[in-house]
Amino acid sequence: MNLFVANVSREVNEDALKALFAEFGEVTSVKIIVDRLTGNSKGFGFVDMPNNENALNAMHKLTHASFFGKSLIVSKAKPKTSAY
């Protein structure tokens, strides 16, 4: 299951986010979205977990959890759509 993670501190890197979600099960990928011009985090990203039960558990436990001083918002990611 692909999870959307919002309100991520700009101090957080992909390894730290992966470690947080790995407490709930296997994580296959983590991507923090960055601004193309500055390279700075945009404050959100995606975490992919192959086990849906583990992903749902992580979503419920980590929503509103404090991480690097920010209250995370975690939800199921919406499918990527074409820009056209």
Side-chain angles (χ1 to χ4, degrees):
M1 176 182 293
N2 196 11
L3 299 172
F4 172 74
V5 186
N7 207 32
V8 176
S9 170
R10 299 197 190 314
E11 300 170 20
V12 173
N13 62 28
E14 291 176 353
D15 289 337
L17 198 58
K18 182 176 184 173
L20 178 66
F21 278 82
E23 294 177 22
F24 298 92
E26 181 185 356
V27 175
T28 53
S29 69
V30 174
K31 179 69 177 163
I32 293 178
I33 306 305
V34 296
D35 183 276
R36 288 184 218 180
L37 297 176
T38 66
N40 294 331
S41 168
K42 288 190 170 188
F44 68 93
F46 297 91
V47 175
D48 195 42
M49 299 178 75
N51 182 294
N52 287 346
E53 187 176 319
N54 291 346
L56 289 172
N57 187 33
M59 182 174 68
H60 293 296
K61 299 278 180 160
L62 294 176
T63 296
H64 303 299
S66 180
F67 189 59
F68 282 75
K70 303 269 274 190
S71 180
L72 296 177
I73 300 167
V74 184
S75 62
K76 289 182 187 177
K78 295 184 174 132
K80 191 172 185 178
T81 58
S82 173
Y84 300 102

